[in-house]
Amino acid sequence: EAQVTQNPRYLITVTGKKLTVTCSQNMNHEYMSWYRQDPGLGLRQIYYSMNVEVTDKGDVPEGYKVSRKEKRNFPLILESPSPNQTSLYFCASSLFGELFFGEGSRLTVL
Amino acid sequence: DAKTTQPTSMDCAEGRAANLPCNHSTISGNEYVYWYRQIHSQGPQYIIHGLKNNETNEMASLIITEDRKSSTLILPHATLRDTAVYYCIVAPFSGGYNKLIFGAGTRLAVHP
């Protein structure tokens, strides 16, 4: 089944404790992206990647890092999480314009 | 800046057609109209997209006006499972991807 898989789905952590949210897709898509969704602010793009080793900033990249060492994986790294990064995160991949989203990762930073 | 304008919310009776409007008066010639929906807090789901011709797939129909300044998403026989937030997005398609900017969308409530 074609899918985008994110882990963890839920996480509560504390300020400053590094964490990684993994994202994997099995559709051989070149394009992958991370979004965060906050009440009243909609979905905002954090980072995206056009292909392996090619990444670029989206609209809200501050406080996040990404890497794209393999086509299927696009992890989101929070080096020093802060409470304002409490949000619902979505990973997505695309081949010809249609975005496939993961189920989301709900992150709470205390 | 949002490129589309949608009603905040709409209601529809189960089994009836749901017609969701979208205004995109500043759409450029190379921009497509995309529709996605999001059920509760699940990941958004692609529905349909079009450039200037009307489009239909197993989920919905997309009607784009001749001047391309507005469009309507039609769910022909709405069910309770179609209750969701529907996003209308305009974006160019190039290089194998497009940057989709999600606005507030229309919250569709389908009732029995």
Side-chain angles (χ1 to χ4, degrees):
Chain A
E1 179 188 354
Q3 58 186 4
V4 177
T5 304
Q6 299 178 223
N7 280 296
R9 295 287 314 280
Y10 302 91
L11 179 64
I12 300 174
T13 189
V14 295
T15 299
K17 186 176 182 181
K18 179 180 179 180
L19 68 93
T20 299
V21 186
T22 64
C23 175
S24 180
Q25 50 96 2
N26 62 0
M27 295 167 280
N28 202 36
H29 288 169
E30 293 184 346
Y31 176 83
M32 298 185 74
S33 180
W34 276 102
Y35 291 83
R36 62 178 288 176
Q37 186 171 32
D38 303 289
L41 296 176
L43 276 154
R44 295 178 292 169
Q45 190 179 51
I46 303 171
Y47 268 96
Y48 64 95
S49 170
M50 298 285 286
N51 211 328
V52 175
E53 303 292 359
V54 181
T55 63
D56 210 344
K57 296 177 180 179
D59 298 315
V60 288
E62 296 78 20
Y64 304 95
K65 287 176 60 177
V66 292
S67 69
R68 188 90 182 274
K69 295 186 173 64
E70 312 167 87
K71 184 182 274 193
R72 64 183 294 127
N73 296 322
F74 190 43
L76 179 70
I77 304 158
L78 286 73
E79 294 271 3
S80 183
S82 63
N84 65 11
Q85 292 178 297
T86 292
S87 187
L88 179 58
Y89 292 87
F90 290 104
C91 179
S93 71
S94 173
L95 183 59
F96 289 120
E98 176 184 339
L99 275 172
F100 292 83
F101 283 83
E103 286 302 307
S105 296
R106 188 170 292 280
L107 171 65
T108 301
V109 183
L110 301 176
Chain B
D1 291 338
K3 289 187 173 182
T4 64
T5 304
Q6 299 177 251
T8 303
S9 63
M10 294 183 66
D11 286 325
C12 179
E14 190 176 19
R16 304 296 294 272
N19 297 287
L20 291 87
C22 180
N23 285 318
H24 31 80
S25 58
T26 60
I27 192 171
S28 301
N30 67 338
E31 289 184 316
Y32 287 73
V33 180
Y34 292 83
W35 282 85
Y36 282 75
R37 73 180 183 184
Q38 186 174 24
I39 298 172
H40 296 299
S41 293
Q42 297 178 16
Q45 176 189 22
Y46 166 84
I47 301 173
I48 199 168
H49 76 280
L51 183 61
K52 55 183 178 181
N53 297 321
N54 298 337
E55 302 288 345
T56 296
N57 63 20
E58 64 279 3
M59 289 183 67
S61 295
L62 174 60
I63 308 298
I64 302 175
T65 58
E66 194 168 340
D67 63 7
R68 302 212 318 128
K69 292 185 177 181
S70 65
S71 60
T72 301
L73 178 74
I74 301 172
L75 308 178
H77 305 287
T79 71
L80 298 178
R81 288 177 295 181
D82 291 321
T83 293
V85 177
Y86 288 77
Y87 299 99
C88 169
I89 304 163
V90 295
F93 175 73
S94 63
Y97 90 105
N98 51 50
K99 180 174 181 178
L100 302 182
I101 298 175
F102 289 78
T106 295
R107 189 171 296 276
L108 175 68
V110 181
H111 52 84

